[in-house]
Each structure stands twice: as structure tokens, then as C-alpha cells.
Amino acid sequence: MAKVTVDGIEVEVPNGATVLQACEAAGKEIPRFCYHERLSVAGNCRMCLVEVEKAPKPVASCAYPVADGMAVKTDSPLVRNARRGVMEFLLINHPLDCPICDQGGECDLQDQAVAYGHDHSRYAEPKRAVKDKYVGPLIKTVMNRCIQCTRCVRFAAEVAGVPEMGATGRGEAMEIGTYVEKALTSELSGNLIDICPVGALTSRPYAYVSRPWELRKTDSIDVQDATGTNIRVDNRGPEVLRILPRINDDVNEEWMADRGRFSFDGLKRRRLDRPWLRVDGKLKAASWPEAFRAIAAKLRGLRGDRIGAVAGDLVDAESVFALKSLMGALGSPNLDCRQDGAAIDGSKRDFFLFNSTIAGIDEADALLVIGSNPRTEAPVINARIRRRWTLGRFPIGRIGPAGVDLTYPHQHIGEGPAALRTLMEGTHHFARVLREATKPMVILGRGAIARPDGAAVLAAAWEIARQADALRPDWHGFNMLHHFGGQVGALELGFLPGQGGRDLGGMLAGGVDALWLLGADGFDTSAIPASTFVIYQGHHGDRAAARADVILPGAAYTEKDATYVNTEGRAQRAWLAVHAPGDAREDWRIIRAAGEGLGIRLPFDDLPQLRAAMVAHAPQLGEPFARAGCGDATGPAGDASALSDAPFALPIAQYHLADAIARASDVMAECARIYGEVPALQAAE
């Protein structure tokens, strides 16, 4: 450790730390434009100049290493004059169009210009003009404002793993762009907006919509993938205008995937805002009492084993627990939350959680990915895997379709379960790589077990982890990667078939006469028998709503206080940002009211009572999250030798249209068209 004196304050920092880090350890704020904590050091904006004792001139603190006994001044006359000079140079070509810039009020350049800028300019020469670049449908560029900090270039290359941005030209002719003008091919491109210190890169959907001081800001959780990204929902009145990530180093650091960030316009399109009843084959608007009477008239005449319920992928834990309580009161064991048909063994949490935790990726020293593409299923987690790869000594193997670009080099072991057999038998050299690793990881994609031999695939993946000594009290290397934010919560609450109960396949095969779909629109609803009475409770008029006999309008994730559980089993709270439209209500309230219509009084009247009952049923949802090792290496019930030869298929073929909110979004529809996720004819329609 090195002892450094900063403005008379002595601090101790690790050897190899920079002067800027030492200054921050002393509580001194250093202005910067090019420096970012999660990117490599560029040292090209020079705004972070400080005075170091015995140095002949001010030094760039972001790129200058500390030395034991160093004395630093951060606010001397020399430093202030140096920073004023840098600011004057930065503003030579800056257009100063703050009144029309979407970054206004949140701009680092504005903030620093107040502190170090002059009230006039000494330059009379014309400002340079730079052509705006096209980088895709999500980012609006005004390159006249660019100060060439290269944060965007470094983020694209280092974090996103898509080195498509860079600088062309030299000197005054230097410009930042994509070399060949095209849309960025990254699922993390929206983060370029956050890291840009000026208004050169702003949100295209948010352009000229509002100012930051007009917005009400609410903490929430992104449910459109299973990472559990911490977000902030910004709204003005009843409308969500933008969604931004919050910092959580254990989950998403400060990054966010594009689908969760930009699909917010889908929250106001195709919404269900009133109950509907099917009368004479047509859906007609109804009142809440009419809808509940129709449900009661149908369900009262049915035995419990003829009623089924399916929980969707974006549903909060409170609503799942409420529906499970209602089904239990009706005597129904027919519950399922696996719309994709995944053969998940719910007998032990270890079988369906990301047990190493997201932060644990940083500790792993070997990785096997089975039947998954983390880049589209969980882009933020994939970025973390890439960061671990950049540190070196991290061999990665993958079993699944060939030709998949994960943004980092990896060894393609095979396309199907045959490769799993070679690893279990030890005939493939990557089996030795896993065995020789200190902390090996196995990531099993949920899509790999959504097939007839899914139970065997799950058992085989567990066996590979066991053979690699990844199932220890001090390290749990078996991980399942889920796709959406409501999937793990339902599994934690045991929303699975009870004794003698039917799964989704059994229900669709005519095993029930009434089917309650709680936000469940991720399966082929045309497979529901025509004689089945369908109750659809959800927030979008998506696939399942068209088949329903009764539609109950629910609230989206931005419209309720709710608990969501991410892929690692971390329970997190989201808060109400805007109220649900029209007559839509929180899902648990709808279920409780429907129960009263059936003569069933559920044991909770408000949200605190519901949460208390939920935590009593699943205590882990109320406990602080902590990583646990593997105390019991006993595998799941599947037979690892019953693997088929069918290759794995990736479950998310259309990243930008993967959920009901995204499918209602015009922005996501445009992205799907540009990135070729839908045929041109379908996009035109």
C-alpha cells in the first residue's frame, strides 16, 4: 500500500492505483470526461489535471500512478488555471446548443463549464461541422457536440464486445463513428447514452420529449430478462418516458439491456384497460362484477382437479402466491409456471438457480455453456462473462448451435447432447479443463431443458458439474440461466403441479375444463381445446387474450409495488411509478376479489399481509441474499443416460420481440425489422 497526501489529507491506496483514485479516496471530486471507472484509461481529455509535488507541470490524474509519499494538490491556482484552459479548448468547437440538447440538465460538460468555463470566448474562427452518424434506431447522434472522449469506442470494444465504433481522420478532421455507417449490433447499445458525457449520443425515442426536472423518478426492477437489473423509471404524469439503469455492483453494475430500456412505449399500447366477456363468440366490454359472476358461474360447478392455472413469465411473486392460494382453496393441484415446457426439477432450489451468483462469475476460472446464448438471454450477464474473459485464464466451452457470436472467443464442443456424453465420459479434452479448474462453472440454458429429454439434459449438466468438483460447500458451480424476471419467483413459491396434478401439457391435452392464465402468453394458445373455459389475467392484449372467455385487466411491472426474483434467487422490490390505465388493477387484488366472488376469502386483505403470508410460505424471499455453497450434491430425478440426439435450439430467436411488452412496442418492432428478426413482408404489415 502507498501513502499519499491529497490536499493535506493522508490516504493509503493499493500500489498501482492512480492519482485520481487516491484523490477520490480522500473525498476529493476530480472533474473528468474521458475517464470511466469500468473502462480502460484513455487520458485524452486532460480535464482531471492535478498538481503533484516536484512534477514540472500538471499531470493527468486518471493515468498517473501513485508513489509512496506523493503529495497532490487538487485545487491550487495552477490546477484551476490548467482546467480552465482545457475547458476553453473543449468549447472551441462545441456548438453550445444546450437549450435544444436532450442532455441538458444531465450534462457533464455543462456542470464543468459552470465551474471552469469563461463567460466569453477568445476564438472568432468558425466552428467545425461534423456530419451526424447513423448508429441504429435507438441512438440519436449530434456529432458536432462530440468532444472525442472515446468512451463510446471503449465501451463498444471492451464491454459490449462489438468493436464497431472508432475514430477516423486525424487532428481537426477526426470523427467518431462506425467506419461503415450501419446500426450497432449490440444488445447493450443504450448504455452508450449513459456514458456519453455530452449530448453527442442521446436516446432517439426520448428525443425532445421532456427535461429531467419534469420527471418523477421511481426505483424498480427490469423484468424483461432474468438478470434483475436495477432500474429507474422516469414518468411525467401517467406516462413512462424513459427507463435508466441504477448501480448495483452485484447484479448489473451500471449496465442495462436494450429491450428493457427502450420498450417502454409498449406499456401504453395494446393495453387491457377493462374487463371483457365472450358473448356469442365475441368479446364484449364488461364491468368487474359481471366478469366475476361469469367466473363464479363456471368454476362453482367444477371439481378442483378440472381447474388449472398457468403463471406467466413477467408476473410478480405476490400475484403468483395469491393465485396459488386461490387454486389451493378450490382444490386444484394443476399448477404450472413453465410455459416453455422446461423440465425443471423444483424439489431443490439448487436445480434451478444461478448458484454461483452473477458476481461469482468474476471468481470462476473455467466455464461451460450448455444450450444457451447469454448474449440474447441475459446481455448484462454476458458482458460480465466477457469481462472475466478479458482478465485471462478463463477457457470457455459451449454446446449448442454453431456460428453463435458470444462477443468473446470460446470452443464449440458440439451442437447437442452427444457432446454432453463425451464430457461425462471424459473423452473430450474440455472435461479435463473443467476438472483442473479451481472454480469451474456450468451454465445451463433454460431452453436446453425445454424439450422431451429435458430431464435427462438437466441430470447430465448436474453430473458434469459434479465430476468437475464444482459442487462443494465453498463453491456452487451449477447454474441455470432463465429468460424473464417472473420465472424464478414462481419456482421459489412452488407454482408447479401438486400431488396428482397436471403440467401445462396435460392441461392443454384436455385435462382441465377451466384454465386461469396469469399473464401467460408465451405458449401456443391455439392448442387450448375449444371446450376449455379460459380466464386471461394480464396487461396486454397479446396471444392469450384473443383466446380468452374472460379477460381481467392487470397492471404492468411499472404500475405496482411488487417483488421479483432474478435468476440467482435474489428477491428485489419494484415500486409503483404510474397507475394502471382505466379499470386495470394489481393482479393480487383481482385474484382476491375473484375469490370473494367464489365464496373464498383469502387470508390477506392488503399487501403487507400478503407478503407476510408469502414469506411464511417461502422464507428465502424475505431473507437477505447471500451466496451459498452446495451442501448436497444429489442430482435431479432425470436419467442422464436418456439423452436424445436432437441438437439444441436457441429459445430466443427474436430478441427484440421476446415478451408481451416488447411485442407491443413500435421501437422494438423497428429494431426487429432493422436487425432482420422478422421477414420484410411481416414488418411492413
Side-chain angles (χ1 to χ4, degrees), residues 439-563:
K439 292 185 176 181
M441 280 184 67
V442 174
I443 295 180
L444 175 63
R446 180 172 170 133
I449 58 174
R451 41 189 276 153
D453 65 339
V457 173
L458 175 60
W462 183 273
E463 176 62 17
I464 290 170
R466 189 193 65 77
Q467 292 181 4
D469 195 27
L471 307 177
R472 312 190 304 261
D474 64 328
W475 174 254
H476 202 321
F478 179 83
N479 305 279
M480 183 174 291
L481 183 58
H482 295 269
H483 301 151
F484 300 102
Q487 292 176 327
V488 178
L491 292 169
E492 293 275 44
L493 291 167
F495 203 88
L496 296 167
Q499 185 69 31
R502 296 176 175 85
D503 61 9
L504 177 58
M507 293 185 237
L508 297 181
V512 296
D513 297 320
L515 186 59
W516 194 307
L517 304 179
L518 177 59
D521 44 34
F523 65 97
D524 182 10
T525 56
S526 65
I528 301 175
S531 60
T532 302
F533 182 79
V534 178
I535 304 162
Y536 177 71
Q537 178 181 343
H539 42 75
H540 276 78
D542 205 66
R543 301 162 178 166
R547 171 59 185 84
D549 295 289
V550 179
I551 295 177
L552 306 177
Y557 73 100
T558 56
E559 300 160 358
K560 54 189 171 185
D561 296 341
T563 302

Side-chain angles (χ1 to χ4, degrees), residues 336-344 446 449-452 454 503-505:
D336 207 348
C337 60
R338 302 162 300 180
Q339 295 184 84
D340 53 1
I344 294 174
R446 180 172 170 133
I449 58 174
R451 41 189 276 153
D503 61 9
L504 177 58

Side-chain angles (χ1 to χ4, degrees), residues 646-663:
F648 292 125
L650 297 179
I652 299 181
Q654 298 174 309
Y655 169 76
H656 295 96
L657 303 176
D659 60 81
I661 298 174
R663 287 191 290 270

Side-chain angles (χ1 to χ4, degrees), residues 414-430:
E415 295 193 5
L420 293 176
R421 292 192 194 97
T422 63
L423 291 174
M424 285 190 292
E425 295 166 358
T427 56
H428 195 284
H429 79 91
F430 202 82

Side-chain angles (χ1 to χ4, degrees), residues 246-266:
R246 290 184 288 129
I247 296 176
N248 187 329
D249 287 333
D250 292 331
V251 181
N252 60 292
E253 299 181 290
E254 61 185 83
W255 314 126
M256 184 179 183
D258 286 348
R259 190 170 74 240
R261 182 192 292 263
F262 291 108
S263 64
F264 59 84
D265 64 312

Side-chain angles (χ1 to χ4, degrees), residues 179-233:
Y179 305 113
V180 176
E181 197 162 285
K182 68 181 188 67
L184 289 170
T185 58
S186 172
E187 297 77 20
L188 296 167
S189 63
N191 296 288
L192 295 172
I193 299 166
D194 297 336
I195 65 172
C196 181
V198 295
L201 304 177
T202 56
S203 171
R204 190 179 292 273
Y206 181 67
Y208 307 123
V209 170
S210 74
R211 288 300 194 184
W213 53 84
E214 300 174 336
L215 303 175
R216 180 175 176 267
K217 303 168 177 62
T218 308
D219 290 348
S220 189
I221 302 297
D222 177 26
V223 302
Q224 293 181 260
D225 65 31
T227 306
T229 299
N230 289 215
I231 62 173
R232 191 187 82 198
V233 179

Side-chain angles (χ1 to χ4, degrees), residues 63-338:
Y64 202 83
V66 297
D68 193 44
M70 178 182 285
V72 179
K73 296 179 182 178
T74 67
D75 196 32
S76 66
L78 176 66
V79 170
R80 288 196 297 271
N81 287 332
R83 292 176 182 169
R84 289 188 185 114
V86 170
M87 178 60 66
E88 189 172 12
F89 277 114
L90 287 174
L91 295 179
I92 290 174
N93 284 313
H94 197 77
L96 305 179
D97 53 359
C98 302
I100 62 165
C101 178
D102 281 312
Q103 195 79 351
E106 301 172 314
C107 178
D108 294 348
L109 186 62
Q110 274 187 333
D111 295 341
Q112 299 306 329
V114 169
Y116 300 106
H118 292 286
D119 60 355
H120 64 280
S121 173
R122 292 186 288 173
Y123 292 87
E125 294 81 6
K127 293 179 180 286
R128 78 170 191 158
V130 181
K131 177 182 176 292
D132 294 341
K133 309 295 192 300
Y134 175 78
V135 295
L138 303 176
I139 300 176
K140 176 175 176 283
T141 64
V142 183
M143 301 312 293
N144 285 335
R145 303 170 186 160
C146 179
I147 61 171
Q148 299 170 356
C149 68
T150 69
R151 279 189 184 182
C152 56
V153 176
R154 285 174 284 147
F155 174 86
E158 298 168 10
V159 179
V162 183
E164 298 173 345
M165 296 195 74
T168 56
R170 301 183 66 184
E172 190 179 12
M174 178 178 168
E175 297 182 10
I176 302 293
T178 55
Y179 305 113
V180 176
E181 197 162 285
K182 68 181 188 67
L184 289 170
T185 58
S186 172
E187 297 77 20
L188 296 167
S189 63
N191 296 288
L192 295 172
I193 299 166
D194 297 336
I195 65 172
C196 181
V198 295
L201 304 177
T202 56
S203 171
R204 190 179 292 273
Y206 181 67
Y208 307 123
V209 170
S210 74
R211 288 300 194 184
W213 53 84
E214 300 174 336
L215 303 175
R216 180 175 176 267
K217 303 168 177 62
T218 308
D219 290 348
S220 189
I221 302 297
D222 177 26
V223 302
Q224 293 181 260
D225 65 31
T227 306
T229 299
N230 289 215
I231 62 173
R232 191 187 82 198
V233 179
D234 289 358
N235 70 288
R236 183 176 58 191
E239 186 177 359
V240 174
L241 296 182
R242 67 176 180 179
I243 296 176
L244 302 175
R246 290 184 288 129
I247 296 176
N248 187 329
D249 287 333
D250 292 331
V251 181
N252 60 292
E253 299 181 290
E254 61 185 83
W255 314 126
M256 184 179 183
D258 286 348
R259 190 170 74 240
R261 182 192 292 263
F262 291 108
S263 64
F264 59 84
D265 64 312
L267 293 169
K268 62 182 179 181
R269 294 187 170 90
R270 303 185 195 172
R271 289 302 302 270
L272 299 173
D273 59 358
R274 69 187 71 178
W276 295 80
L277 289 178
R278 190 173 296 278
V279 180
D280 298 329
K282 295 184 179 180
L283 288 170
K284 296 184 178 180
S287 64
W288 281 109
E290 290 172 337
F292 291 145
R293 282 196 295 269
I295 294 172
K298 182 64 178 180
L299 298 190
R300 277 178 179 159
L302 296 177
R303 300 196 319 267
D305 62 352
R306 300 302 299 175
I307 303 171
V310 182
D313 296 331
L314 306 181
V315 181
D316 57 288
E318 289 87 349
S319 302
V320 171
F321 179 73
L323 184 57
K324 183 177 182 181
S325 301
L326 178 60
M327 291 296 115
L330 290 170
S332 171
N334 306 314
L335 308 176
D336 207 348
C337 60
R338 302 162 300 180

